[in-house]
């Protein structure tokens, strides 16, 4: 789960990291009130996407009138597909220098990656490419946590100017505490700025926490901004389904993440385009199959549905039963390609064959997933354009 | 032979009295797996499908000399269960549980590492050495004893490919899912090392997916392997930044794409099948050669 | 540093462990006021020594009159050499069962020893001897800390009755947190009681913290009760000397802990009795030698002083210089046996020989520490009785 | 040979710009010890007695290939210094610092253990292999090269006994103090193991003191040693419950008395000298036999 900048900053501040003065606004009026108080300000769109600035989501305003004008522009604007509904209004800072401090999960080394740079303001890949001598990276072993010598090494190796050593030292340790305390997957201050007055302040804030750990952090769980999640994906999540919307026209239902991806890939190999990823998981109940169908049918681009089940523990007869139940309760109206293999596949296929005698829905029973993909693409082309 | 588990594996089921634990204990037993004990705190003295239940893994090991464990406890208790198994002297831990906080998984990783324990998973379907032992939730009937090892990040996709092989008359030495999470106990290299040493394994199928760099690192290792490896990578059509079901299946920046993985494998001579069927066909061809 | 029961209980309470209602009294009047409030009470002498109860330091009182009477008895009483200056007044509890929970430094296994027993109220050695089936012990590795499975193992292995499992589970975890948070060497609840109402309460509390870590725990450092430390030992500590008072008559000054002990042992082998342990450490300055002399001379039992120096980094000439300076500034009046060996021993011995020509103090220069011990015992016998 | 340090030891001094660090660096250098670098954060570029100073141990090791470290930093920074040395790849760490919090010492112990690093100390006088290398604060002039190893919990007492040996014409292979604290990096057994394997050592002197059970455990090990061991135990007259200078020198309950230690050693055939002089005499007699 990604936190908004204003949420992350609040947490940073609670953990001793200096942040600029700022207030959240949900309307133009609120922006106006805040800018009246601040004088000059920065309006920052609160959207959960990188590169807001370049995409026009951040505006410097030097008067209340300008603030109102820019706020009107920003509210309702779409930034990289994310709607601006909240603006974080911050004081303007006299920036002398930009730096970077971040922690992220280090998959390869099974630890926490600490990254420090004495330059900042651009994304970390860009820093690494442009200023390899000003960036330092280190894996923190979760057994021992972050020790002072590691912080010193990060500072020296990133060629951090001596005058900021003490301040940045403290910020690195505090940000690591945030990483651990909130069980984050990533937390980042970019840029960490030095003002003309020599203050070191977190000008931006990122904090992505682990969904699996949210049960231990009820306060964080409450911060989740559901407006940021695609509505269908949100509904799917609530039903216990893994659904990711894509832009093709062949709906995919499969069991298992790898199987679902492989199904998408097969469609692509046949020159079709999958409309989604949808994993119904291991124990596909009748109810779950129905939910999966109903989610896919809400995507109006979908012209055909390919259901690809490999029965392991899941028995194919149970999947067939679920599908029949679903089709009895809802009208699908587009063709379904069905592959049932594995445990009790014969029973399952026979049930479907029986059902086909009494339904007007179109179900193409196929033998293999490769064949199914081919069939689905064929039907997709017939039913609509397939670009 | 086979790797990690065989007919000498005597397993404890942690969380045996839960729905999943009990259900899969019955399935593993009926496959012939030696499940010698179950553990659920407070339930000592009970029996589940004839298997005695203990309060602690330590008690279970003392009474039964178990040397492996399968974990079915809920995510919130899984790290504790792994630690308990390790400290009780268990040397092979298979953690089925999904949804474990990643910071817990980091601790699990280092705990088993410190104690030279093999951890398979978490969030994995388990491991099977056909006709010898099965620890996990796989459908054992689709496997057949033979000389191909399978190591995979995916569950159903593994079944699909094993099924295709079995249909072609090609059996398996050991088949295992290493788990779909970002931090897992054993990665491809750990398992490839074991297959390379295993006398019963003549070829290894590696089933990868998008996310991370494990497949690329595996390719480095495969370069020096004597046995042929055949690959499959799922997720060519997955968009960046979106998790494809598994916590680990996500393309971050330019990292973790299917293209990069296929390229790395091809470069060390690994043929990567485009479809699960093609994988089985390549295996057949390579084995004949 | 050992904390008093009332101090430890306050810390326990702050960390979520239930304690009985109690108040500290420093006078009979305060006891009276508190017992008026509590009705029945327990008066517990706050002395830093085990076995207070058996030594008569704990009194049950059932009326205010009785409380005043017992308080008068206790204040000023000496318990195992410790003067009672504070009484902790607690409510009386209806005790149904006594148990034990403790953590201590585990030297042998390089960790924290966790000890739990389903019986309590006697000391842990006694529990272990009498109820081996009701005590469980486990080493906690500081890398990983205390995990739930370990707590469960402790509970099962100590045959803790099921009805107390949940409560004691929580207390074990909280007490471990105290152990770590305050960097304790030992912390113990004995007895941990179950009241007739089923409440689980820490009826006693021990908490010994690490002196070396006090710089990180300023709040604890302030709790130090100097009245509890032997006055000479306290002065020595302030001067940076390691001094332990013993009951013999031969004063000992040596450099190094092992050397100091060996010197004491040699005196004992010669049938003498050392008056103290005194280690002046590695860099024995003139000032330090003088301080050491002055502390030893305050012990009126001392009839002779044996100064045993092995010059390593410390040069014997510097020690000699220090001693001469000390003797010039103070009158000793009892014989000194001096052994100087190691670096610059000749120079040192010659300086002393010169000094002896002009002083009336008696200094016996010896060649070896074995010879020195013999000489010191001889002089001690001559100068006083030597039992 | 000798153990732990020899003429190939290239050492870093951590805390080299402090009073103690600088003073002892000069002494170690003048004995011929290869001190190749010093470390004090923020002091890179300086020289101390001709030794270049670096900001981090990592930098020092990269520049000089140092393989050992002597730590003189204040107690509050000592654990961090040990961790830094270990992670920089140093394989022998000698920690002189005294007064380190015991919970820090526990962490130090496991950090070096996890990484197969030899830690001597803390709160120890260091180690000397006469005529080869000296890392610590010992008076090198009293030692003489030879075939007796000395391992001790005490500083000055070690010097005394080494001095007695040297006077009798008996030289030493390696002499080291393991430290006076309760939790130390290397205990008697760790060192006895090394002496047992060292071809240059024919006899070992073990100097113990009250507190803990290390001497008793050492006795268990000595039972199976091929080389003779001669002992000394300080603290026969120490009262229970009082710390005799060293944090570790304390009799707790019935644990840690000199009697128990002497008995344990005697039982495995170790002669325990009653005085430092007697220790030297026993060594002489045993070496002749």
């Amino acid at each position: 789960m990604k936190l908004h900048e204003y949420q992350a900053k609040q947490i940073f501040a609670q953990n001793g990291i200096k942040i600029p003065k700022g207030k959240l606004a949900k309307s133009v009026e609120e922006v106006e009130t805040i800018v009246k108080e601040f004088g000059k300000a920065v309006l920052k769109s609160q959207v959960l996407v990188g590169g807001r600035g370049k995409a026009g989501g951040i505006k410097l305003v030097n008067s209340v009138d300008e603030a109102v004008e820019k706020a009107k522009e920003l509210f309702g604007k779409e930034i990289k597909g994310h709607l601006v509904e909240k603006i974080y209004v911050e004081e303007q800072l006299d920036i002398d220098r930009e730096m970077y401090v971040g922690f992220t999960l280090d998959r390869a080394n099974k630890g926490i990656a600490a990254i420090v740079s004495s330059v900042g303001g651009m994304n970390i890949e860009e820093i690494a490419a442009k200023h390899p001598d000003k960036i330092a990276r280190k894996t923190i072993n979760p057994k021992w946590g972050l020790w002072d010598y590691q912080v010193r090494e990060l500072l020296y190796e990133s060629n951090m100017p001596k005058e900021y050593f003490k301040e940045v030292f403290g910020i690195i340790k505090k940000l690591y505490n945030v990483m651990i305390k909130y069980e984050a997957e990533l937390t980042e201050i970019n840029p960490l700025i030095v003002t003309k007055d020599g203050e070191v302040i977190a000008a931006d804030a990122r904090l992505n926490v682990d969904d699996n750990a949210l049960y231990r952090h009820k306060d964080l769980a409450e911060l989740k901004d559901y407006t940021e999640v695609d509505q269908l994906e949100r509904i799917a999540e609530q039903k216990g389904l893994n659904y990711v919307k894509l832009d093709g026209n062949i709906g995919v239902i499969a069991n298992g993440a790898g199987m679902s991806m492989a199904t998408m890939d097969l469609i692509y190999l046949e020159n079709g385009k999958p409309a989604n990823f949808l994993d119904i998981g291991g124990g596909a109940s009748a109810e779950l199959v129905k939910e999966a169908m109903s989610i896919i049918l809400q995507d109006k681009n979908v012209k055909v549905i390919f259901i690809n089940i490999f029965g392991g523990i899941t028995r194919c007869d149970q999947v067939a039963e679920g599908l029949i139940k679903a089709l009895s309760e809802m009208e699908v109206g587009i063709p379904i390609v069905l592959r049932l293999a594995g445990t009790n596949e014969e029973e399952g296929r026979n049930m479907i064959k029986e059902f086909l005698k009494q339904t007007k829905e179109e179900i193409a029973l196929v033998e293999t997933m490769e064949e199914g993909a081919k069939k689905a693409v064929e039907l997709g082309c017939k039913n609509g354009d397939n670009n | 032979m086979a790797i990690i588990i065989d007919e000498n594996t005597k397993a404890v089921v942690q969380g045996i009295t839960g729905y999943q634990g009990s259900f899969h204990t019955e399935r593993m037993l009926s496959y012939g797996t030696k499940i010698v004990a179950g553990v659920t705190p407070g339930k000592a003295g009970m029996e589940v499908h004839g298997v005695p239940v203990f309060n602690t893994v330590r008690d279970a090991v003392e009474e039964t000399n178990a040397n492996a464990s399968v974990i079915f406890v809920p995510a919130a208790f899984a790290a504790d269960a792994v630690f308990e198994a390790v400290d009780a002297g268990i040397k092979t831990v298979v953690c089925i549980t999904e949804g474990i906080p990643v910071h817990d998984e980091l601790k699990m990783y280092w705990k088993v590492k410190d104690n030279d324990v093999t951890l398979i998973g978490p969030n994995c379907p388990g491991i099977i050495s056909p006709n010898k032992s099965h620890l996990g939730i796989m459908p054992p009937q689709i496997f057949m004893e033979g000389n191909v090892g399978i190591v995979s990040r995916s569950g159903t996709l593994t079944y699909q490919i094993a099924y295709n092989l079995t249909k072609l008359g090609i059996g398996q030495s050991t088949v295992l899912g290493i788990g779909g999470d970002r931090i897992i106990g054993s990665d491809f290299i750990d398992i490839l090392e074991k297959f390379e040493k295993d006398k019963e394994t003549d070829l290894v199928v590696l089933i990868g997916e998008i996310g991370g760099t494990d497949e690329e690192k595996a390719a480095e290792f495969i370069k020096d392997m004597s046995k042929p490896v055949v690959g499959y990578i799922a997720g060519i059509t997955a968009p960046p930044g979106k998790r494809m079901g598994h916590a680990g299946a996500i393309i971050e920046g330019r990292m973790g794409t299917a293209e990069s993985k296929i390229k790395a494998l091809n470069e060390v001579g690994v043929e990567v099948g485009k479809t699960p069927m093609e994988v089985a066909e390549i295996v057949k061809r390579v084995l004949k050669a």
Side-chain angles (χ1 to χ4, degrees), chain A, chain B:
Chain A
M1 174 185 136
K2 291 177 179 176
L3 270 66
H4 280 296
E5 176 195 6
Y6 77 94
Q7 296 168 328
K9 276 190 172 159
Q10 201 178 340
I11 287 173
F12 284 11
Q14 282 160 8
N15 287 276
I17 297 168
K18 272 187 213 156
I19 56 167
K21 195 168 65 168
K23 284 186 181 174
L24 187 70
K26 290 183 180 169
S27 66
V28 175
E29 292 69 36
E30 284 178 18
V31 170
E32 189 176 359
T33 312
I34 300 167
V35 177
K36 270 181 188 159
E37 184 193 333
F38 285 8
K40 296 175 174 186
V42 195
L43 308 189
K44 304 172 93 174
S45 305
Q46 297 299 289
V47 284
L48 293 174
V49 66
R52 287 177 303 177
K54 282 186 188 156
I58 297 177
K59 304 283 180 195
L60 277 177
V61 296
N62 293 315
S63 69
V64 175
D65 287 350
E66 198 185 351
V68 169
E69 181 193 326
K70 298 289 183 192
K72 282 180 183 162
E73 278 176 31
L74 288 177
F75 277 118
K77 180 174 172 164
E78 210 169 270
I79 296 174
K80 296 186 171 180
H82 294 247
L83 200 69
V84 179
E85 299 188 348
K86 287 181 272 192
I87 292 177
Y88 190 52
V89 185
E90 268 188 350
E91 62 176 331
Q92 287 188 18
L93 297 168
D94 279 339
I95 298 175
D96 196 43
R97 186 190 183 92
E98 295 184 317
M99 305 182 291
Y100 175 100
V101 175
F103 291 95
T104 176
L105 184 69
D106 186 342
R107 285 174 73 158
N109 299 304
K110 322 289 182 191
I112 311 287
I115 306 168
V116 171
S117 174
S118 58
V119 299
M122 56 201 117
N123 73 48
I124 193 66
E125 289 81 11
E126 212 176 329
I127 298 175
K130 287 192 185 161
H131 304 282
D133 59 319
K134 294 199 168 122
I135 188 167
R137 195 184 182 290
K138 211 160 274 297
T139 303
I140 310 306
N141 187 313
K143 251 192 299 192
W144 296 116
L146 178 70
W147 285 62
D148 287 358
Y149 70 95
Q150 296 171 312
V151 181
R152 289 195 302 270
E153 287 178 355
L154 287 164
L155 291 169
Y156 287 120
E157 287 168 23
S158 66
N159 285 302
M160 184 65 63
K162 271 198 181 164
E163 58 263 46
Y164 311 130
F165 240 67
K166 208 184 144 192
E167 278 288 314
V168 181
F169 189 101
I171 287 166
I172 293 171
K173 294 203 78 169
K174 285 167 189 164
L175 193 64
Y176 181 77
N177 287 345
V178 167
M179 182 81 184
I180 297 302
K181 187 168 158 187
Y182 300 92
E183 301 194 60
E185 296 176 344
L186 178 154
T187 184
E188 193 180 78
I189 305 176
N190 186 22
L192 175 68
I193 61 150
V194 184
T195 67
K196 296 246 156 69
D197 301 334
E199 271 198 300
V200 182
I201 299 180
D204 199 355
R206 271 181 83 186
L207 181 58
N208 301 354
V209 296
D210 179 7
D211 286 322
N212 285 345
L214 281 180
Y215 73 92
R216 293 195 278 231
H217 306 278
K218 304 269 186 252
D219 47 331
L220 290 181
E222 284 167 12
L223 297 179
K224 181 135 191 172
D225 185 352
Y226 282 101
T227 65
E228 278 284 343
V229 183
D230 176 277
Q231 210 193 339
L232 275 185
E233 292 183 10
R234 196 187 340 165
I235 293 167
E237 193 189 319
Q238 284 160 355
K239 305 287 183 194
L241 295 166
N242 281 307
Y243 172 81
V244 177
K245 200 180 167 329
L246 302 168
D247 55 3
N249 60 1
I250 299 173
V252 170
I253 296 176
N255 63 333
M259 184 64 99
S260 303
M261 276 189 278
T263 309
M264 287 159 50
D265 293 351
L266 284 176
I267 289 167
Y268 173 78
L269 282 173
E270 297 293 339
N271 296 311
K273 276 184 111 178
N276 64 278
F277 167 97
L278 202 170
D279 171 14
I280 55 169
S285 68
E287 192 55 29
L288 216 54
V289 173
K290 192 186 142 193
E291 295 290 357
M293 294 285 287
S294 93
I295 281 164
I296 285 187
L297 289 173
Q298 287 180 54
D299 178 354
K300 293 308 165 203
N301 292 333
V302 171
K303 303 299 176 207
V304 55
I305 301 176
F306 178 18
I307 303 176
N308 181 21
I309 300 294
F310 188 89
I313 298 159
T314 314
R315 282 154 43 194
C316 289
D317 54 333
Q318 284 182 334
V319 173
E321 190 189 327
L323 183 62
I324 290 166
K325 195 152 176 288
L327 293 178
S328 314
E329 289 172 22
M330 64 171 80
E331 199 173 326
V332 174
I334 53 171
I336 294 170
V337 176
L338 176 64
R339 196 282 296 238
L340 286 176
T343 311
N344 293 4
E345 68 175 73
E346 276 317 307
E347 290 86 335
R349 293 168 64 86
N350 287 337
M351 285 164 70
I352 296 295
K353 282 175 191 161
E354 276 307 304
F355 176 69
L356 277 172
K357 293 175 186 167
Q358 59 175 81
T359 183
K360 60 181 197 320
E361 303 282 3
E362 186 183 346
I363 304 179
L365 260 178
V366 295
E367 297 283 329
T368 66
M369 57 193 283
E370 288 80 1
E371 187 193 332
K374 186 172 291 203
K375 184 77 185 167
V377 172
E378 199 182 299
L379 291 170
C381 286
K382 200 163 54 179
N383 265 32
D385 78 292
N386 178 44
N387 48 13
Chain B
M1 279 195 37
I3 66 166
I4 305 171
I5 63 168
D6 58 24
E7 57 276 17
N8 299 315
T9 300
K10 295 167 70 180
V12 168
V13 174
Q14 289 179 258
I16 195 168
T17 59
Y19 172 73
Q20 290 285 321
S22 161
F23 176 73
H24 290 290
T25 295
E26 189 174 19
R27 294 181 67 250
M28 291 186 282
L29 282 170
S30 71
Y31 190 67
T33 306
K34 294 187 184 96
I35 304 291
V36 296
V39 171
T40 300
K43 300 280 172 72
M46 262 183 75
E47 284 199 353
V48 173
H49 305 301
V51 174
V53 179
F54 298 88
N55 283 329
T56 66
V57 181
R58 195 177 295 275
D59 287 350
V61 170
E62 256 171 37
E63 287 295 319
T64 66
N65 287 315
N67 52 20
S69 168
V70 207
I71 294 177
F72 287 98
V73 306
F77 311 110
D80 194 70
V82 171
F83 271 58
E84 179 174 0
V86 171
D87 277 356
I90 294 283
K91 285 295 165 195
T92 299
V93 178
V94 179
C95 185
I96 306 300
T97 309
E98 65 178 318
I100 301 175
V102 73
H103 285 255
D104 282 3
E105 293 178 326
L106 287 171
K107 291 183 188 122
M108 282 160 53
Y109 178 86
W110 288 103
K111 178 70 179 184
V112 300
K113 184 100 174 166
D114 273 7
N115 291 276
D116 291 322
V117 168
T118 297
L119 170 64
I120 308 295
N123 189 16
C124 79
I127 174 167
I128 187 166
S129 294
N131 291 352
K132 297 187 180 105
S133 186
H134 169 223
L135 296 182
I137 60 172
M138 301 207 260
Q141 69 280 3
I142 62 169
F143 302 98
M144 182 173 96
E145 198 171 349
N147 61 348
V148 171
I150 303 181
V151 56
S152 170
R153 279 172 67 188
S154 155
T156 36
L157 206 46
T158 311
Y159 312 156
Q160 177 67 53
I161 289 173
Y163 184 71
N164 291 351
L165 288 173
T166 298
K167 279 194 158 179
L168 292 178
I170 300 167
Q172 303 94 40
S173 53
T174 299
V175 178
L176 73 159
I178 56 175
D181 284 358
R182 287 165 297 178
I183 304 295
I184 48 178
S186 302
D187 59 18
F188 283 127
I189 294 179
D190 296 320
I191 305 302
L192 289 171
E193 269 178 349
K194 294 184 203 286
F195 276 132
E196 172 74 2
K197 285 186 202 141
D198 177 43
K199 285 185 188 139
E200 212 175 76
T201 303
D202 293 330
L203 180 151
V204 184
V205 176
L206 180 152
I207 306 172
E209 63 186 26
I210 54 157
T213 55
D214 260 22
E215 289 80 359
E216 287 86 338
K217 290 202 287 179
E220 282 296 303
F221 178 83
I222 291 167
K223 204 167 21 178
D224 299 322
M225 272 178 73
S226 67
K227 298 179 182 177
V229 176
V230 175
Y232 181 80
I233 302 290
I236 296 172
T237 47
K242 289 279 188 182
R243 277 187 194 158
M244 295 288 118
H246 289 159
I250 183 168
I251 298 167
E252 293 157 301
R254 261 160 298 173
M255 293 264 290
T257 64
E259 286 71 18
S260 145
K261 293 170 192 301
I262 292 168
K263 184 165 173 274
L265 288 168
N266 284 339
E267 277 172 4
V268 295
V270 174
E271 276 195 76
V272 178
K274 285 194 180 62
T275 73
M277 191 69 89
E278 197 187 341
V279 172
E281 285 156 2
I282 297 170
V283 170
K284 191 174 178 184
R285 172 165 45 78
V286 174
L287 278 179
K288 274 192 184 157

